[in-house]
Amino acid sequence: MTDPLFEFLCRLGDNTLVLGHRVSEWCGVAPVLEEDIALANTALDLIGQTTMWLNLAGEVEGAGRDADALAFRRDVWDFRNLLLVEQPNGDFGQTMMRQFLFDAWHVLYLTELEKSSDARVAAIAEKSLKEARYHLDRASETVIGLGDGTEESNARMQAALDRLWPYVGEMFDSDAVDMDMVAKGIAPDPGTLRPGFDATVNPVLRKATLTRPESDFAHRGGRSGARHSEHLGHLLTQMQWLQRAYPDATW
Amino acid sequence: MYAQMIKSTGQNVKSPEEMDPQERAFQERVDAGEKIEPKDWMPEGYRRTLIRQIGQHAHSEIVGQLPEGNWITRAPTLERKAILLAKVQDEAGHGLYLYCAAETLGVSRDHLTRDLLSGKMKYSSIFNYPTLTWADMGAVGWLVDGAAIMNQVPLQRTSYGPYARAMVRICKEESFHQRQGFDIMMKMANGTEAQRKMAQDALNRFWYPSLMMFGPSDENSVHSAQNMAWKIKMNTNDELRQKFVDQTAPQAAFLGLTIPDEHLKWNEARGHYDFSEPDWDEFFDVLKGNGPCSADRMEARNRAWDEGAWVREGLLAHAEKKKARKVAAE
């Protein structure tokens, strides 16, 4: 069995890697210049976090792989990110809704990780949390602004919420890896974070005049790697292309 | 140089005797190196020319995100991806400062944006060239940002205060951009056979378009003479181009790359490199909208603007509702 700590670190690093990549796809084509800047900034933070998590994962693994080797030389089934973050950008509303749902969970999770018994995990969490809080503030404001905007913007935000809600549940799944982390005091049981998530999300949706979907049906298979969506392969095809095409090169 | 072929009044520079007292006082302030500020009186031609120049510069920063954005999702390492993201983010920021500087002259960002999207206003010709390999990210930083710096460093002393101050901030970031470009080129030029080939190919494709960034010779241009008298333009195009070649030729040699110009040679008597002119017909074709990527760039910007309309309208509607609720509560 793979070292649970390695699995856990890949989950964190792959989330930020895949989401950072998705956000970076907006480069130069956002609806307004301030958003170009903000999206690039968000992507930059997420890629920075990825480097820290995946370097630590490589160190824990002890097989000589660093963050780049993990990011650019693994195939789909070795990725451990949530299905939510690999979903395509859609329109700007869908991108910001995905960001909001992820950030709401991310802030809670990192807040717990700051207390990790593993000092390396706690240090990365502390640095990431500052950024995640800022991302959450901004995403919340945007979700409220567009939800409570025009009829069209409201309809688009509701559609985005309905489209992405089935990917929320996976964030609160617990498995053997999580239980091992809980036992060692490294990370919390994700299942315990749901009430906090609802407390963050519900008031924002209310202010945004959006209706929370009734069904809590959840797609699963990202964080375990068992069944990613078709989208991840295409994302990796683009992201990993240079490293795969020129394996002898250094960049 | 992100602003090219900036038209001015089209008239010869007036002598002090031809100026009215207000114009003369203005010119004396400019000559004395004083900064002109938004509320100061200025000739209408000065104001209009500055709007054209600052606007074109801002548009170049915005469109300039596209050729580099083309490689963000394919950057080969996490560090390279982060650096490129930071650079493109800087460029959007430069666009923002410059639009703000233009706004002090009484034109809104939306107005300038509409003129860009309709094709009425231009952006630098260089961004109509494609970025085809990772080495192009190096070449853009090294050559394109390098050429931009040549023009922008003197513009820190330009007569219009808000423009000069924007340029101070921009120049600091541009020199970081150029260094990161050169760093990519060094890695590529000292890398595998395939990487060296990419590096040389990037230099081959970007050399002449970079020389074109300075615009054709303007020694006899009335526009240029007026703009220099107003200190909106600080050097002639040929001066800047020569300076660029003089700086870049030894760097190419250091990289072990060959500049695609058989006439490039150090001229001891002049103390400068001799070099070939770019193909100015190609330059004018690009300006007319026939650059290899002109249609793609305009399409991308128009699509971003059109598809973003609901977002801008939504956020505006929300802001108005919020304001109305606040008023109702008071």
PDB file of all heavy atoms in Angstrom, chain A residues 169-192:
ATOM      1  N   GLY A 169     -20.138  17.022  -2.568  1.00  0.00           N
ATOM      2  CA  GLY A 169     -20.120  15.932  -1.576  1.00  0.00           C
ATOM      3  C   GLY A 169     -18.761  15.253  -1.430  1.00  0.00           C
ATOM      4  O   GLY A 169     -18.362  14.881  -0.323  1.00  0.00           O
ATOM      5  N   GLU A 170     -18.037  15.120  -2.543  1.00  0.00           N
ATOM      6  CA  GLU A 170     -16.758  14.404  -2.487  1.00  0.00           C
ATOM      7  C   GLU A 170     -15.751  15.058  -1.526  1.00  0.00           C
ATOM      8  O   GLU A 170     -14.881  14.386  -0.976  1.00  0.00           O
ATOM      9  CB  GLU A 170     -16.145  14.311  -3.899  1.00  0.00           C
ATOM     10  CG  GLU A 170     -14.965  13.361  -3.947  1.00  0.00           C
ATOM     11  CD  GLU A 170     -14.199  13.364  -5.260  1.00  0.00           C
ATOM     12  OE1 GLU A 170     -14.381  14.286  -6.082  1.00  0.00           O
ATOM     13  OE2 GLU A 170     -13.391  12.440  -5.456  1.00  0.00           O
ATOM     14  N   MET A 171     -15.922  16.375  -1.326  1.00  0.00           N
ATOM     15  CA  MET A 171     -14.978  17.084  -0.457  1.00  0.00           C
ATOM     16  C   MET A 171     -15.059  16.596   0.994  1.00  0.00           C
ATOM     17  O   MET A 171     -14.147  16.817   1.780  1.00  0.00           O
ATOM     18  CB  MET A 171     -15.245  18.597  -0.515  1.00  0.00           C
ATOM     19  CG  MET A 171     -15.010  19.188  -1.905  1.00  0.00           C
ATOM     20  SD  MET A 171     -14.915  20.996  -1.933  1.00  0.00           S
ATOM     21  CE  MET A 171     -16.630  21.441  -1.893  1.00  0.00           C
ATOM     22  N   PHE A 172     -16.190  15.948   1.336  1.00  0.00           N
ATOM     23  CA  PHE A 172     -16.412  15.564   2.737  1.00  0.00           C
ATOM     24  C   PHE A 172     -16.358  14.057   2.940  1.00  0.00           C
ATOM     25  O   PHE A 172     -16.753  13.552   3.971  1.00  0.00           O
ATOM     26  CB  PHE A 172     -17.749  16.164   3.216  1.00  0.00           C
ATOM     27  CG  PHE A 172     -17.771  17.643   3.001  1.00  0.00           C
ATOM     28  CD1 PHE A 172     -18.434  18.191   1.906  1.00  0.00           C
ATOM     29  CD2 PHE A 172     -17.061  18.485   3.837  1.00  0.00           C
ATOM     30  CE1 PHE A 172     -18.399  19.561   1.668  1.00  0.00           C
ATOM     31  CE2 PHE A 172     -17.027  19.849   3.611  1.00  0.00           C
ATOM     32  CZ  PHE A 172     -17.697  20.396   2.520  1.00  0.00           C
ATOM     33  N   ASP A 173     -15.887  13.343   1.933  1.00  0.00           N
ATOM     34  CA  ASP A 173     -15.711  11.896   2.061  1.00  0.00           C
ATOM     35  C   ASP A 173     -14.521  11.583   2.964  1.00  0.00           C
ATOM     36  O   ASP A 173     -13.538  12.316   2.959  1.00  0.00           O
ATOM     37  CB  ASP A 173     -15.424  11.283   0.678  1.00  0.00           C
ATOM     38  CG  ASP A 173     -16.693  11.098  -0.123  1.00  0.00           C
ATOM     39  OD1 ASP A 173     -17.782  11.294   0.451  1.00  0.00           O
ATOM     40  OD2 ASP A 173     -16.588  10.750  -1.319  1.00  0.00           O
ATOM     41  N   SER A 174     -14.640  10.480   3.672  1.00  0.00           N
ATOM     42  CA  SER A 174     -13.493  10.004   4.459  1.00  0.00           C
ATOM     43  C   SER A 174     -13.184   8.578   4.041  1.00  0.00           C
ATOM     44  O   SER A 174     -14.099   7.793   3.825  1.00  0.00           O
ATOM     45  CB  SER A 174     -13.824   9.991   5.952  1.00  0.00           C
ATOM     46  OG  SER A 174     -14.310  11.241   6.352  1.00  0.00           O
ATOM     47  N   ASP A 175     -11.899   8.257   3.952  1.00  0.00           N
ATOM     48  CA  ASP A 175     -11.515   6.878   3.651  1.00  0.00           C
ATOM     49  C   ASP A 175     -10.331   6.487   4.538  1.00  0.00           C
ATOM     50  O   ASP A 175      -9.992   7.200   5.486  1.00  0.00           O
ATOM     51  CB  ASP A 175     -11.203   6.715   2.158  1.00  0.00           C
ATOM     52  CG  ASP A 175     -10.039   7.590   1.713  1.00  0.00           C
ATOM     53  OD1 ASP A 175      -9.359   8.169   2.599  1.00  0.00           O
ATOM     54  OD2 ASP A 175      -9.803   7.695   0.494  1.00  0.00           O
ATOM     55  N   ALA A 176      -9.707   5.362   4.213  1.00  0.00           N
ATOM     56  CA  ALA A 176      -8.632   4.838   5.065  1.00  0.00           C
ATOM     57  C   ALA A 176      -7.471   5.838   5.182  1.00  0.00           C
ATOM     58  O   ALA A 176      -6.849   5.964   6.239  1.00  0.00           O
ATOM     59  CB  ALA A 176      -8.124   3.518   4.491  1.00  0.00           C
ATOM     60  N   VAL A 177      -7.198   6.552   4.088  1.00  0.00           N
ATOM     61  CA  VAL A 177      -6.104   7.540   4.135  1.00  0.00           C
ATOM     62  C   VAL A 177      -6.433   8.618   5.173  1.00  0.00           C
ATOM     63  O   VAL A 177      -5.602   8.985   6.011  1.00  0.00           O
ATOM     64  CB  VAL A 177      -5.893   8.190   2.742  1.00  0.00           C
ATOM     65  CG1 VAL A 177      -4.909   9.347   2.827  1.00  0.00           C
ATOM     66  CG2 VAL A 177      -5.421   7.147   1.736  1.00  0.00           C
ATOM     67  N   ASP A 178      -7.670   9.095   5.115  1.00  0.00           N
ATOM     68  CA  ASP A 178      -8.071  10.150   6.061  1.00  0.00           C
ATOM     69  C   ASP A 178      -7.998   9.634   7.505  1.00  0.00           C
ATOM     70  O   ASP A 178      -7.533  10.339   8.396  1.00  0.00           O
ATOM     71  CB  ASP A 178      -9.500  10.611   5.759  1.00  0.00           C
ATOM     72  CG  ASP A 178      -9.590  11.248   4.382  1.00  0.00           C
ATOM     73  OD1 ASP A 178      -8.957  12.298   4.185  1.00  0.00           O
ATOM     74  OD2 ASP A 178     -10.250  10.671   3.500  1.00  0.00           O
ATOM     75  N   MET A 179      -8.460   8.402   7.692  1.00  0.00           N
ATOM     76  CA  MET A 179      -8.472   7.862   9.052  1.00  0.00           C
ATOM     77  C   MET A 179      -7.050   7.717   9.598  1.00  0.00           C
ATOM     78  O   MET A 179      -6.788   7.977  10.768  1.00  0.00           O
ATOM     79  CB  MET A 179      -9.208   6.499   9.074  1.00  0.00           C
ATOM     80  CG  MET A 179     -10.725   6.636   8.887  1.00  0.00           C
ATOM     81  SD  MET A 179     -11.442   7.823  10.087  1.00  0.00           S
ATOM     82  CE  MET A 179     -12.036   9.103   9.034  1.00  0.00           C
ATOM     83  N   ASP A 180      -6.123   7.354   8.704  1.00  0.00           N
ATOM     84  CA  ASP A 180      -4.731   7.263   9.105  1.00  0.00           C
ATOM     85  C   ASP A 180      -4.192   8.652   9.502  1.00  0.00           C
ATOM     86  O   ASP A 180      -3.465   8.795  10.494  1.00  0.00           O
ATOM     87  CB  ASP A 180      -3.910   6.677   7.954  1.00  0.00           C
ATOM     88  CG  ASP A 180      -2.514   6.305   8.381  1.00  0.00           C
ATOM     89  OD1 ASP A 180      -2.358   5.262   9.036  1.00  0.00           O
ATOM     90  OD2 ASP A 180      -1.579   7.085   8.097  1.00  0.00           O
ATOM     91  N   MET A 181      -4.585   9.662   8.744  1.00  0.00           N
ATOM     92  CA  MET A 181      -4.135  11.035   9.044  1.00  0.00           C
ATOM     93  C   MET A 181      -4.739  11.518  10.370  1.00  0.00           C
ATOM     94  O   MET A 181      -4.070  12.176  11.163  1.00  0.00           O
ATOM     95  CB  MET A 181      -4.543  12.004   7.918  1.00  0.00           C
ATOM     96  CG  MET A 181      -3.838  11.783   6.589  1.00  0.00           C
ATOM     97  SD  MET A 181      -2.044  11.938   6.695  1.00  0.00           S
ATOM     98  CE  MET A 181      -1.572  10.219   6.654  1.00  0.00           C
ATOM     99  N   VAL A 182      -6.000  11.158  10.583  1.00  0.00           N
ATOM    100  CA  VAL A 182      -6.662  11.545  11.838  1.00  0.00           C
ATOM    101  C   VAL A 182      -5.941  10.888  13.011  1.00  0.00           C
ATOM    102  O   VAL A 182      -5.612  11.548  14.011  1.00  0.00           O
ATOM    103  CB  VAL A 182      -8.164  11.138  11.815  1.00  0.00           C
ATOM    104  CG1 VAL A 182      -8.791  11.332  13.197  1.00  0.00           C
ATOM    105  CG2 VAL A 182      -8.922  11.949  10.766  1.00  0.00           C
ATOM    106  N   ALA A 183      -5.660   9.579  12.873  1.00  0.00           N
ATOM    107  CA  ALA A 183      -5.013   8.832  13.957  1.00  0.00           C
ATOM    108  C   ALA A 183      -3.658   9.447  14.309  1.00  0.00           C
ATOM    109  O   ALA A 183      -3.256   9.474  15.474  1.00  0.00           O
ATOM    110  CB  ALA A 183      -4.845   7.372  13.545  1.00  0.00           C
ATOM    111  N   LYS A 184      -2.959   9.974  13.297  1.00  0.00           N
ATOM    112  CA  LYS A 184      -1.625  10.539  13.552  1.00  0.00           C
ATOM    113  C   LYS A 184      -1.674  12.024  13.887  1.00  0.00           C
ATOM    114  O   LYS A 184      -0.638  12.672  14.047  1.00  0.00           O
ATOM    115  CB  LYS A 184      -0.731  10.320  12.323  1.00  0.00           C
ATOM    116  CG  LYS A 184      -0.385   8.853  12.114  1.00  0.00           C
ATOM    117  CD  LYS A 184       0.405   8.658  10.821  1.00  0.00           C
ATOM    118  CE  LYS A 184       0.768   7.188  10.634  1.00  0.00           C
ATOM    119  NZ  LYS A 184       0.844   6.796   9.226  1.00  0.00           N
ATOM    120  N   GLY A 185      -2.885  12.568  13.919  1.00  0.00           N
ATOM    121  CA  GLY A 185      -3.019  13.991  14.251  1.00  0.00           C
ATOM    122  C   GLY A 185      -2.534  14.903  13.136  1.00  0.00           C
ATOM    123  O   GLY A 185      -2.241  16.080  13.355  1.00  0.00           O
ATOM    124  N   ILE A 186      -2.427  14.360  11.923  1.00  0.00           N
ATOM    125  CA  ILE A 186      -1.901  15.170  10.815  1.00  0.00           C
ATOM    126  C   ILE A 186      -2.998  16.006  10.168  1.00  0.00           C
ATOM    127  O   ILE A 186      -2.785  17.168   9.805  1.00  0.00           O
ATOM    128  CB  ILE A 186      -1.214  14.256   9.759  1.00  0.00           C
ATOM    129  CG1 ILE A 186       0.043  13.633  10.374  1.00  0.00           C
ATOM    130  CG2 ILE A 186      -0.861  15.043   8.488  1.00  0.00           C
ATOM    131  CD1 ILE A 186       0.741  12.620   9.496  1.00  0.00           C
ATOM    132  N   ALA A 187      -4.179  15.414  10.012  1.00  0.00           N
ATOM    133  CA  ALA A 187      -5.257  16.114   9.297  1.00  0.00           C
ATOM    134  C   ALA A 187      -6.609  15.730   9.901  1.00  0.00           C
ATOM    135  O   ALA A 187      -6.730  14.681  10.540  1.00  0.00           O
ATOM    136  CB  ALA A 187      -5.215  15.742   7.814  1.00  0.00           C
ATOM    137  N   PRO A 188      -7.617  16.584   9.664  1.00  0.00           N
ATOM    138  CA  PRO A 188      -8.940  16.290  10.220  1.00  0.00           C
ATOM    139  C   PRO A 188      -9.690  15.268   9.366  1.00  0.00           C
ATOM    140  O   PRO A 188      -9.306  15.014   8.225  1.00  0.00           O
ATOM    141  CB  PRO A 188      -9.634  17.639  10.137  1.00  0.00           C
ATOM    142  CG  PRO A 188      -9.064  18.264   8.910  1.00  0.00           C
ATOM    143  CD  PRO A 188      -7.625  17.829   8.873  1.00  0.00           C
ATOM    144  N   ASP A 189     -10.758  14.734   9.912  1.00  0.00           N
ATOM    145  CA  ASP A 189     -11.685  13.900   9.161  1.00  0.00           C
ATOM    146  C   ASP A 189     -12.543  14.851   8.322  1.00  0.00           C
ATOM    147  O   ASP A 189     -13.267  15.685   8.869  1.00  0.00           O
ATOM    148  CB  ASP A 189     -12.551  13.117  10.155  1.00  0.00           C
ATOM    149  CG  ASP A 189     -13.654  12.334   9.450  1.00  0.00           C
ATOM    150  OD1 ASP A 189     -13.780  12.439   8.215  1.00  0.00           O
ATOM    151  OD2 ASP A 189     -14.387  11.628  10.167  1.00  0.00           O
ATOM    152  N   PRO A 190     -12.461  14.773   7.000  1.00  0.00           N
ATOM    153  CA  PRO A 190     -13.202  15.728   6.156  1.00  0.00           C
ATOM    154  C   PRO A 190     -14.705  15.736   6.473  1.00  0.00           C
ATOM    155  O   PRO A 190     -15.353  16.778   6.352  1.00  0.00           O
ATOM    156  CB  PRO A 190     -12.961  15.226   4.726  1.00  0.00           C
ATOM    157  CG  PRO A 190     -11.724  14.407   4.802  1.00  0.00           C
ATOM    158  CD  PRO A 190     -11.689  13.816   6.175  1.00  0.00           C
ATOM    159  N   GLY A 191     -15.218  14.576   6.887  1.00  0.00           N
ATOM    160  CA  GLY A 191     -16.652  14.483   7.176  1.00  0.00           C
ATOM    161  C   GLY A 191     -17.101  15.471   8.246  1.00  0.00           C
ATOM    162  O   GLY A 191     -18.255  15.916   8.256  1.00  0.00           O
ATOM    163  N   THR A 192     -16.199  15.848   9.141  1.00  0.00           N
ATOM    164  CA  THR A 192     -16.568  16.748  10.242  1.00  0.00           C
ATOM    165  C   THR A 192     -16.671  18.204   9.774  1.00  0.00           C
ATOM    166  O   THR A 192     -17.115  19.067  10.532  1.00  0.00           O
ATOM    167  CB  THR A 192     -15.519  16.696  11.374  1.00  0.00           C
ATOM    168  OG1 THR A 192     -14.260  17.136  10.828  1.00  0.00           O
ATOM    169  CG2 THR A 192     -15.370  15.292  11.918  1.00  0.00           C
TER     170      THR A 192
END
